[in-house]
């Protein structure tokens, strides 16, 4: 099972060598030893698609911003979590990006879905404009919940990937079940927008983090966080359900997710998963998520 997260974070620009630790290192469900598999760890991180602020891309909406510096960090995080799902869907978890090595067509199909232009499925343009219908003006900062809801809507138009996106609200993260240090890719750096060259090839090196990944202590994690899981088959989903049930039985801890067979009656929100590309329902949907992304609830101290 592959998992990733969306959360708020502060600016970080220092890059340190990967530390030596006796503890196992987990990268999206894969377990490594830093003493014997350090190169494999770094290659796995480098192979993840890395989306950061960009500048000089076509104006959003024709007259809007040409850079997302200062406001697009959560949108870029959303792109990264979704790109990981597409990589698993079309390339597989074992796929690796190696600088200078020719990649398969599906890799560029995935990458092109996120390029900064209006007709890419999950571009900054599409996310920003879809957010207008959710009460967010173009150039306004998103929270994790907002970008998750917008990406759910955009996925209905991606017939190539055929992803069904489900968002579970009001879940609880059990801190003691999470390691003390997290590895993450930081979107808070601005790179020039990328266009295909004259031969139609897309320069892709800037979409892969080729320095040691950023790290942070779990105590620095913001309380507003989205956790994403990719299930390739129904069997994967059933296995995920069983694993979540097992976790809920450990030491009497609160479950990370509540599993229910049917939608509870108090969930009266519309289901955007039923939207189709030719549907007009998007115009009449009311906001069905938190009214304020910045509101937090302290679960325990």
């Amino acid at each position: 099972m592959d998992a990733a997260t969306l959360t708020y974070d502060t600016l970080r620009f220092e890059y340190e060598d990967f530390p030596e630790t006796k503890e196992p290192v987990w990268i999206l469900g894969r377990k490594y030893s830093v003493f014997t598999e350090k190169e494999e760890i770094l290659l796995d991180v480098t192979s993840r698609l890395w989306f950061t602020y960009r500048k000089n891309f076509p104006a959003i909406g024709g007259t809007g911003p040409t850079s997302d510096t200062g406001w697009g960090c959560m949108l870029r995080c959303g792109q990264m979590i979704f790109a990981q799902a597409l990589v698993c869907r079309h390339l597989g978890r074992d796929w690796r990006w190696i600088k200078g090595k020719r990649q398969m067509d599906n890799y560029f199909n995935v990458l092109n879905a996120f390029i900064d232009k209006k007709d890419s499925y999950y571009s900054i343009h599409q996310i920003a404009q879809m957010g207008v219908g959710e009460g967010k003006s173009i150039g306004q900062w998103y929270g994790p919940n907002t970008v998750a809801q917008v990406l759910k809507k955009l996925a209905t138009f991606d017939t190539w990937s055929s992803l069904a996106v489900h968002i579970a609200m009001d879940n609880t993260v059990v801190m003691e079940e999470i390691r003390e240090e997290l590895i993450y890719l930081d979107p808070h750096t601005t790179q020039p927008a990328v266009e295909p060259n004259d031969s139609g090839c897309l320069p892709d090196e800037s979409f892969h983090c080729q320095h040691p990944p950023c790290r942070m202590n779990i105590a620095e994690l913001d309380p507003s966080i989205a956790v994403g899981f990719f299930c390739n088959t129904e069997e994967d989903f059933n296995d995920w359900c069983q694993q979540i049930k097992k976790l809920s039985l450990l030491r009497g801890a609160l479950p990370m997710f509540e599993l229910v067979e049917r939608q509870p009656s108090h969930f009266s929100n519309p289901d955007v998963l039923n939207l189709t590309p030719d549907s007009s329902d998007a115009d009449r949907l009311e906001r069905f998520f938190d009214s304020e992304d910045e509101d937090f609830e302290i679960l325990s101290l």
Side-chain angles (χ1 to χ4, degrees):
M1 179 63 62
D2 305 298
T5 63
L6 301 177
T7 185
Y8 309 117
D9 191 29
T10 54
L11 296 177
R12 295 165 176 271
F13 296 102
E14 71 277 6
Y15 303 119
E16 301 176 357
D17 193 17
F18 207 84
E20 294 187 353
T21 173
K22 295 180 180 178
E23 297 294 324
V25 176
W26 290 90
I27 306 293
L28 296 172
R30 292 293 173 87
K31 183 179 180 181
Y32 296 99
S33 166
V34 73
F35 292 108
T36 60
E37 300 174 297
K38 183 174 181 179
E39 292 303 317
E40 287 85 348
I41 293 173
L42 297 177
L43 181 58
D44 198 337
V45 172
T46 300
S47 298
R48 301 313 108 211
L49 286 175
W50 180 40
F51 297 117
T52 69
Y53 294 143
R54 296 276 178 173
K55 61 182 179 181
N56 301 325
F57 49 66
I60 298 176
T63 59
T66 59
S67 173
D68 63 310
T69 299
W71 61 271
C73 52
M74 190 58 64
L75 283 69
R76 298 301 185 180
C77 287
Q79 288 181 321
M80 283 190 274
I81 197 173
F82 226 76
Q84 177 59 21
L86 264 61
V87 166
C88 291
R89 171 76 174 82
H90 298 292
L91 303 175
R93 182 61 181 88
D94 293 329
W95 170 83
R96 294 292 182 267
W97 180 85
I98 299 176
K99 184 177 180 179
K101 180 181 179 180
R102 181 176 178 81
Q103 294 293 335
M104 61 186 73
D105 289 343
N106 270 357
Y107 162 73
F108 289 104
N109 290 337
V110 170
L111 190 55
N112 275 307
F114 299 91
I115 296 301
D116 301 319
K117 56 184 181 180
K118 64 179 182 179
D119 55 348
S120 295
Y121 284 128
Y122 309 107
S123 66
I124 194 84
H125 299 64
Q126 292 281 8
I127 299 174
Q129 291 187 296
M130 182 64 79
V132 173
E134 306 300 341
K136 295 289 188 180
S137 59
I138 294 176
Q140 185 177 358
W141 185 86
Y142 285 18
N145 183 45
T146 303
V147 72
Q149 301 290 356
V150 167
L151 286 167
K152 177 177 181 176
K153 291 184 177 182
L154 291 177
T156 64
F157 300 91
D158 182 3
T159 56
W160 176 59
S161 298
S162 298
L163 289 180
V165 179
H166 175 71
I167 300 173
M169 302 297 293
D170 298 326
N171 49 318
T172 301
V173 176
V174 183
M175 300 298 288
E176 66 178 5
E177 299 294 335
I178 303 176
R179 292 183 51 75
E180 292 184 358
E181 190 170 67
L182 302 176
I183 298 170
Y184 67 98
L185 298 181
D186 196 329
H188 297 97
T189 185
T190 303
Q191 303 185 85
V194 173
E195 292 279 349
N197 56 32
D198 293 338
S199 62
C201 294
L202 185 68
D204 66 334
E205 290 187 15
S206 64
F207 293 100
H208 296 274
C209 182
Q210 299 179 62
H211 50 67
C214 298
R215 308 190 310 279
M216 67 182 296
N217 189 280
I218 187 65
E220 300 178 58
L221 192 65
D222 195 281
S224 182
I225 182 173
V227 182
F229 300 89
F230 173 74
C231 298
N232 194 44
T233 64
E234 184 175 354
E235 182 179 321
D236 285 347
F237 175 71
N238 291 335
D239 179 69
W240 178 85
C241 292
Q242 293 303 316
Q243 295 299 327
I244 293 299
K245 290 177 181 178
K246 289 179 181 178
L247 286 176
S248 66
L249 299 176
L250 294 178
R251 299 189 297 279
L254 292 174
M256 182 178 289
F257 298 97
E258 179 184 4
L259 301 180
V260 295
E261 289 293 333
R262 295 177 178 83
Q263 179 170 290
S265 59
H266 62 277
F267 282 15
S268 59
N269 300 315
D271 183 6
V272 299
L273 191 60
N274 293 324
L275 284 176
T276 57
D278 58 352
S279 172
S280 61
D281 289 342
D283 296 331
R284 62 180 178 81
L285 279 176
E286 296 180 358
R287 293 186 69 185
F288 60 102
F289 46 88
D290 311 16
S291 59
E292 294 292 339
D293 285 303
E294 293 80 5
D295 289 346
F296 306 124
E297 177 183 359
I298 298 177
L299 301 174
S300 62
L301 294 176

